[in-house]
Amino acid sequence: MTKIYLDNNATTFPLPEVIRAMKEVQESVFGNPSSIHWAGREARNLINSAREKIASLLGAEETEIVFTSGGTESINTALVGIWEGRETADRRQESGERFEIISSPLEHHASLKSLEYLKTKGAEVVLLKVDRQGRIDLEELGQKISSKTLLVSLMGANNETGNLSPIQKIGEICREKKVLFHCDAVQAMGKVPLSIKKIPVDLLSFSAHKFHGPKGVGGLFIRQGVKLSPLHRGGNQERGLRGGTEGLTMIHGMALALEVVSKELESSYGKLFLLRKRLEEGLLKGLDGVRVNGDGEGRLSNTSNLLVEGVDGESLLFNLDLEGIAVSAGAACESGSLDPSHVLLAMGLNPRQAKASIRFSFSKMNTQEEVERVLEIFPRIVNRLRK
Ligand code: PLP
């Protein structure tokens, strides 16, 4: 059976050149980057050059990049770290006010659950309204920011709908109002241009496995001067912001993956756009009761979240799986659960519609032939399930 992988927002396969480079490092560099002898220096040099590469690709300074275990850790570090950071803690204590963080109900659970945790620590969390297309209102954001606002945390691209947020404008509003802006760029990184020189963002989270790098490694950009407390305490690695011996091989792989995808950003975007266009046109024409969840134009070119009226998304997923086609009916971490997507619910879909939705997400390795195969199989399965 031909296997077709269309769940690239859950994770991407690591590029062959990334695997090769990691294997070489794994075989030849083993030192602890904190050791001052030759073995340590070899390891330290590798980390330094990975940091240099990532910083330069993002338009950041090397001292502004902290390596983590992935998106979830970066987001937790940003949100909890700012809240618990000395400056913030002092400010909270002096004023006695309840400080707030502004975010949206569309965020990944890494953000929403961190915010839930911060509520138990006294934070007020304000979630912005969302329209039917899954967009926030910048005017509302501007109005909601007050002297109590510490931080605005909004994602760059939504994992379920692919919706792109106007992060440039969000950053400008935050700058003007003098509040910090954290962007969960886990889905945006490696798919759309991200230049920290241009975007007024203070913290930005990313994860290698979403852009063809290895799993279990990511990073957090922390703009110079932004102070936060570490999530876990330990050695002085990552300038004391992330104790623990660095995952040398994976950091090396992440830097290479980002370099490769950054070079191909424009061509990949165009290719994925055409694949998605063909898929959506074919399915919307071939079947009644199908529509796109999300912002028609303003979304990642690789993502198509479709509401297929009259079917259960999970049954659809299982049936596609039997044909070798991997898709998702919700966020990756929720697959296997029957809960309807919180993102789709926040956009105003009812639970039945949210459960009748399915997400296709492409990568540069997908082909026109694969899309044609989906167009052949998908309507057949839907018609059968509808009966
Ligand atoms: N944020 C977004 C938007 C995501 O899509 C994901 C992963 O699905 C994460 C955060 C968490 O990233 P990681 O899997 O690297 O912890």
Side-chain angles (χ1 to χ4, degrees):
M1 181 172 58
T2 326
K3 284 187 181 160
I4 301 179
Y5 184 72
L6 297 174
D7 197 13
N8 288 280
N9 285 8
T11 198
T12 54
F13 67 92
L15 294 169
E17 56 266 55
V18 169
I19 296 173
R20 272 197 304 275
M22 291 201 311
K23 187 164 176 281
E24 256 171 52
V25 167
Q26 193 73 33
E27 283 168 355
S28 57
V29 187
F30 68 93
N32 185 325
S34 298
S35 304
I36 54 173
H37 46 61
W38 59 266
R41 283 198 304 278
E42 273 177 17
R44 170 64 43 207
N45 288 343
L46 265 182
I47 300 237
N48 286 348
S49 60
R51 200 187 307 280
E52 208 179 291
K53 200 175 271 177
I54 291 175
S56 116
L57 289 165
L58 284 177
E61 300 295 326
E62 286 153 50
T63 51
E64 293 176 318
I65 304 293
V66 167
F67 294 129
T68 66
S69 65
T72 301
E73 186 189 326
S74 298
I75 292 167
N76 273 264
T77 305
L79 300 183
V80 180
I82 286 290
W83 183 260
E84 292 183 345
R86 169 88 55 79
E87 257 175 46
T88 313
D90 287 351
R91 218 178 121 193
R92 278 191 280 135
Q93 206 154 31
E94 272 166 31
S95 88
E97 263 192 284
R98 263 168 80 82
F99 279 97
E100 64 187 22
I101 300 175
I102 298 179
S103 190
S104 95
L106 303 170
E107 303 301 302
H108 190 270
H109 278 137
S111 298
L112 292 176
K113 294 206 175 151
S114 296
L115 294 173
E116 281 302 313
Y117 168 73
L118 291 179
K119 273 198 207 168
T120 68
K121 300 281 162 198
E124 237 167 68
V125 173
V126 178
L127 298 184
L128 298 172
K129 286 201 284 289
V130 172
D131 73 9
R132 192 79 193 178
Q133 272 74 49
R135 294 171 303 207
I136 55 156
D137 177 3
L138 291 182
E139 223 169 278
E140 193 203 1
L141 172 65
Q143 286 159 3
K144 285 270 158 72
I145 297 177
S146 72
S147 60
K148 290 196 319 179
T149 313
L150 271 186
L151 176 71
V152 169
S153 181
L154 292 166
M155 64 205 322
N158 187 276
N159 43 306
E160 296 194 35
T161 58
N163 273 12
L164 285 160
S165 309
I167 50 175
Q168 179 73 33
K169 291 199 183 116
I170 295 169
E172 283 163 11
I173 294 172
C174 292
R175 268 290 143 81
E176 195 197 312
K177 305 254 178 187
K178 298 193 171 55
V179 297
L180 296 171
F181 172 35
H182 164 250
C183 177
D184 166 3
V186 168
Q187 289 293 342
M189 184 97 127
K191 294 186 186 131
V192 290
L194 281 179
S195 167
I196 276 153
K197 273 204 191 97
K198 292 194 196 131
I199 307 165
V201 64
D202 299 292
L203 301 128
L204 182 135
S205 297
F206 55 93
S207 179
H209 75 105
K210 306 289 185 180
F211 51 83
H212 300 287
K215 291 176 216 344
V217 64
L220 177 64
F221 157 80
I222 307 170
R223 194 173 287 282
Q224 209 91 54
V226 173
K227 302 256 180 344
L228 73 177
S229 75
L231 203 58
H232 41 158
R233 284 123 188 106
N236 207 34
Q237 290 93 349
E238 300 300 297
R239 300 189 326 284
L241 284 168
R242 207 276 180 177
T245 304
E246 298 90 337
L248 178 64
T249 312
M250 297 200 295
I251 290 172
H252 180 67
M254 169 164 70
L256 180 60
L258 188 61
E259 182 176 46
V260 174
V261 297
S262 300
K263 275 190 197 138
E264 299 170 348
L265 216 54
E266 233 171 88
S267 59
S268 296
Y269 201 86
K271 178 191 165 177
L272 298 176
F273 181 83
L274 291 178
L275 291 180
R276 188 188 72 189
K277 186 165 180 273
R278 171 75 188 123
L279 177 86
E280 289 185 353
E281 282 176 1
L283 291 183
L284 267 64
K285 210 161 80 190
L287 280 166
D288 291 331
V290 178
R291 71 174 165 80
V292 175
N293 291 320
D295 190 345
E297 299 301 318
R299 62 193 158 118
L300 292 171
S301 68
N302 82 319
T303 310
S304 182
N305 193 311
L306 297 177
L307 164 59
V308 189
E309 293 282 5
V311 300
D312 173 53
E314 225 167 85
S315 310
L316 196 45
L317 184 149
F318 288 139
N319 279 277
L320 286 167
D321 189 29
L322 289 176
E323 300 278 355
I325 301 169
V327 297
S328 159
C333 51
E334 290 164 35
S335 293
S337 96
L338 295 170
D339 289 342
S341 149
H342 71 278
V343 172
L344 300 180
L345 294 177
M347 286 163 56
L349 273 74
N350 64 39
R352 187 187 45 77
Q353 291 173 318
K355 285 183 89 168
S357 296
I358 195 128
R359 180 190 72 190
F360 296 90
S361 48
F362 296 96
S363 85
K364 65 179 191 144
M365 291 308 284
N366 292 120
T367 62
Q368 182 81 35
E369 291 69 44
E370 291 177 331
V371 173
E372 296 307 324
R373 182 152 168 75
V374 175
L375 289 177
E376 188 194 311
I377 290 169
F378 193 89
R380 233 193 300 135
I381 295 176
V382 170
N383 288 329
R384 197 171 66 224
L385 290 174
R386 279 179 175 163
K387 271 187 202 146

